[in-house]
Amino acid sequence: MRNLKLAGHVGFDTLPDQLVSKSVQCGFNFNILCVGETGLGKSTLMDSLFNTSFESNPSPHSLSGVKLKSHTYELQESNVKLKLTLVDTIGYGDQVNKEESFKPVVDYIDAQFEAYLQEELKIKRQLATFHDTRIHVCLYFICPTGHGLKSLDLVCMKKLDNKVNIIPVIAKADTISKPELMRFKTKIMSELAANGVQIYQFPVDDEAVAEMNLSMNAHFPFAVCGSTDFIRVGNKMVRARQYPWGTVQVENENHCDFVKLREMLIRTNMEDLRETTHIRHYEIYRRLRLEQMGFSDLDSDNKPQSFQQTYEHKRQLLRMELQQKEDEMRQQFVIRVKEKETELKEAEKELQSRFDRLKKEHAEEKRKLDEAKKRLEDNQNELVKRRQQLLTQSTGTLGHGTLTLGKNKKK
């Protein structure tokens, strides 16, 4: 590579400006998954993060399983448009048997990856206008017990750490004291490290935000609390929670880590979360799915091969498999035809034997009927003869009586 000096201004130094203009024109999308038990303030925290009021209904505690509900909103700040999708886990941790509580969450994340993969594999792709629903960050809400993580928390985060960027947050942090909160944070991080759970780390490769992100990585998990109420403190209205003993200001860093979470999540590292989702988590899913489909970058001899070669090889294997199945089906068809012919021949023999038997019985019946008819005719002829004889005898006797009567008259 040779380095050359330009004799004058060319203009490709405006490429960043062109990229910014194009991005602002197309808009951005960001998808947040909130995982946590019912009543930990997930919806309230989302309202506080984006300083608005999203649609939300109280979730019951009597659901038989975990359900995921997503809502998409279009937000605009200055001239930047953001399509925000919030996904809530309804009924998470409310069941007596929590063994499969994480499965609907994992299935939902995989379903969004699969939808993007199917769009990417189309011949006519429309990725520019495709609504990308892949989860960019998972805010895992931890119950403020002060006694460490639950088994469900560890199992779920372990199942999700290679599929989504996990940021653990301690919900309703205003319910425990400062010393308890510090001990609770330390215990949570030690349990995550002991169980091999990989949570999202803010990037430190950019010099502009490296120092800030490095310091924020030490604040995990963030202890937050949200509120939809505004209370006057001094001369201004602040988002806060009013208690009998005092006021907790949501945006006061001395009271909770809400500001730190908002700065890191939205203002500083939103694009890195989107990029990490695409480059790391989606690529892992895509590679595994393509390997399941039979595609690979290496052939049987561990030599590099193109996607086209893999496709042709896979196509040839499928053709051979289809040909083999066709031959097997043809053989089965021939065997079944022979079996059917044998059955038909046996049925034909049985029918022929029945026909012969019925024919013989019919001939016997006919012979018997002929004999009976002949006997009947003989009896009839004999009866006719006897009648004639009787008539003849009766006629002779009547004639003799008439002759005798005539002689008597003469006398």
Side-chain angles (χ1 to χ4, degrees):
M1 183 179 297
R2 300 172 59 189
N3 294 326
L4 299 179
K5 294 183 178 180
L6 301 178
H9 182 263
V10 177
F12 58 79
D13 57 349
T14 63
L15 276 174
D17 299 332
Q18 298 175 32
L19 181 61
V20 170
S21 177
K22 185 68 175 179
S23 299
V24 170
Q25 181 181 358
C26 296
F28 303 89
N29 70 298
F30 193 61
N31 307 318
I32 302 177
L33 171 64
C34 298
V35 180
E37 300 178 8
T38 305
L40 287 181
K42 300 186 292 294
S43 301
T44 304
L45 183 63
M46 292 299 103
D47 293 343
S48 303
L49 278 175
F50 293 93
N51 197 23
T52 186
S53 179
F54 297 111
E55 300 175 2
S56 61
N57 296 320
S59 302
H61 292 268
S62 57
L63 296 177
S64 58
V66 180
K67 297 181 181 179
L68 278 82
K69 181 173 63 175
S70 65
H71 293 284
T72 302
Y73 309 93
E74 291 186 357
L75 308 179
Q76 183 170 354
E77 189 174 25
S78 299
N79 63 336
V80 179
K81 296 180 181 180
L82 177 66
K83 184 179 287 187
L84 177 67
T85 300
L86 301 178
V87 184
D88 189 12
T89 53
I90 302 175
Y92 181 82
D94 291 340
Q95 295 74 32
V96 176
N97 184 6
K98 302 179 179 61
E99 184 177 358
E100 298 294 332
S101 295
F102 64 88
K103 192 174 185 304
V105 183
V106 176
D107 293 342
Y108 180 85
I109 296 175
D110 288 342
Q112 311 317 307
F113 282 152
E114 183 66 23
Y116 190 87
L117 177 62
Q118 293 302 321
E119 181 66 25
E120 197 176 45
L121 293 177
K122 286 182 179 179
I123 296 176
K124 187 178 179 180
R125 300 182 299 177
Q126 296 180 349
L127 294 176
T129 59
F130 178 74
H131 183 202
D132 186 6
T133 57
R134 295 174 297 175
I135 301 300
H136 297 126
V137 61
C138 170
L139 295 180
Y140 195 94
F141 288 74
I142 301 172
C143 187
T145 59
H147 301 293
L149 294 171
K150 299 179 182 179
S151 299
L152 177 61
D153 300 331
L154 290 172
V155 172
C156 185
M157 281 193 277
K158 185 61 180 176
K159 294 290 183 180
L160 296 177
D161 62 356
N162 63 340
K163 297 179 179 293
V164 69
N165 302 312
I166 301 176
I167 296 181
V169 295
I170 301 175
K172 296 185 176 181
D174 53 340
T175 60
I176 52 180
S177 62
K178 284 285 185 178
E180 290 176 343
L181 184 59
M182 297 305 298
R183 290 194 296 269
F184 192 32
K185 283 187 174 184
T186 303
K187 191 167 186 179
I188 288 174
M189 295 306 297
S190 63
E191 289 181 354
L192 291 176
N195 290 274
V197 178
Q198 301 294 327
I199 62 174
Y200 174 75
Q201 296 289 323
F202 299 121
V204 294
D205 51 355
D206 188 357
E207 295 180 358
V209 294
E211 184 177 355
M212 181 187 299
N213 285 345
L214 184 61
S215 63
M216 289 298 106
N217 285 331
H219 283 79
F220 279 124
F222 292 113
V224 299
C225 62
S227 176
T228 57
D229 300 328
F230 286 87
I231 300 174
R232 180 174 297 276
V233 177
N235 296 326
K236 61 179 181 179
M237 300 295 292
V238 296
R239 190 183 294 270
R241 302 183 69 90
Q242 185 70 46
Y243 293 100
W245 45 263
T247 302
V248 176
Q249 300 179 26
V250 174
E251 298 182 2
N252 189 335
E253 296 190 37
N254 294 323
H255 292 180
C256 67
D257 297 332
F258 173 80
V259 174
K260 296 184 178 65
L261 175 63
R262 185 177 61 186
E263 291 287 327
M264 293 295 100
L265 180 65
I266 300 175
R267 181 173 296 181
T268 307
N269 299 296
M270 178 181 286
E271 181 57 30
D272 184 75
L273 288 166
R274 288 157 37 90
E275 184 179 356
T276 304
T277 299
H278 182 75
I279 295 178
R280 180 186 172 189
H281 301 297
Y282 172 69
E283 284 300 319
I284 293 175
Y285 179 84
R286 178 178 176 273
R287 184 179 71 248
L288 294 177
R289 285 288 291 123
L290 291 179
E291 288 178 355
Q292 291 176 0
M293 296 178 186
F295 296 99
S296 176
D297 295 332
L298 301 176
D299 57 10
S300 58
D301 299 329
N302 290 329
K303 294 182 179 180
Q305 62 177 356
S306 64
F307 190 86
Q308 180 67 23
Q309 292 174 340
T310 306
Y311 172 76
E312 293 295 338
H313 179 66
K314 184 68 176 177
R315 186 179 182 183
Q316 185 178 0
L317 291 177
L318 288 175
R319 283 183 174 179
M320 293 174 60
E321 184 178 354
L322 288 175
Q323 185 65 34
Q324 183 179 0
K325 289 183 178 180
E326 185 178 355
D327 295 339
E328 292 177 356
M329 292 179 65
R330 187 178 290 109
Q331 293 177 0
Q332 292 179 359
F333 178 74
V334 172
I335 294 173
R336 289 184 179 180
V337 168
K338 291 182 179 180
E339 292 177 353
K340 198 66 178 178
E341 287 180 352
T342 304
E343 293 178 1
L344 291 175
K345 287 181 179 179
E346 292 178 356
E348 184 180 3
K349 288 181 180 179
E350 184 178 357
L351 290 174
Q352 186 65 34
S353 61
R354 289 181 61 187
F355 175 75
D356 294 340
R357 186 174 69 254
L358 291 174
K359 185 177 180 181
K360 185 176 180 181
E361 293 176 355
H362 176 70
E364 183 67 21
E365 291 290 334
K366 185 177 180 183
R367 184 184 63 78
K368 292 180 180 179
L369 288 174
D370 290 341
E371 291 179 354
K373 182 179 179 182
K374 185 177 181 182
R375 287 195 302 270
L376 183 60
E377 289 178 352
D378 293 342
N379 293 334
Q380 188 177 3
N381 292 333
E382 184 179 356
L383 180 61
V384 171
K385 288 180 181 180
R386 292 182 63 182
R387 288 182 62 186
Q388 290 178 354
Q389 289 177 1
L390 291 174
L391 288 174
T392 303
Q393 291 178 1
S394 300
T395 305
T397 304
L398 183 59
H400 180 71
T402 306
L403 181 60
T404 303
L405 181 59
K407 287 182 179 183
N408 292 331
K409 285 182 178 181
K410 288 181 179 181
K411 288 181 180 181

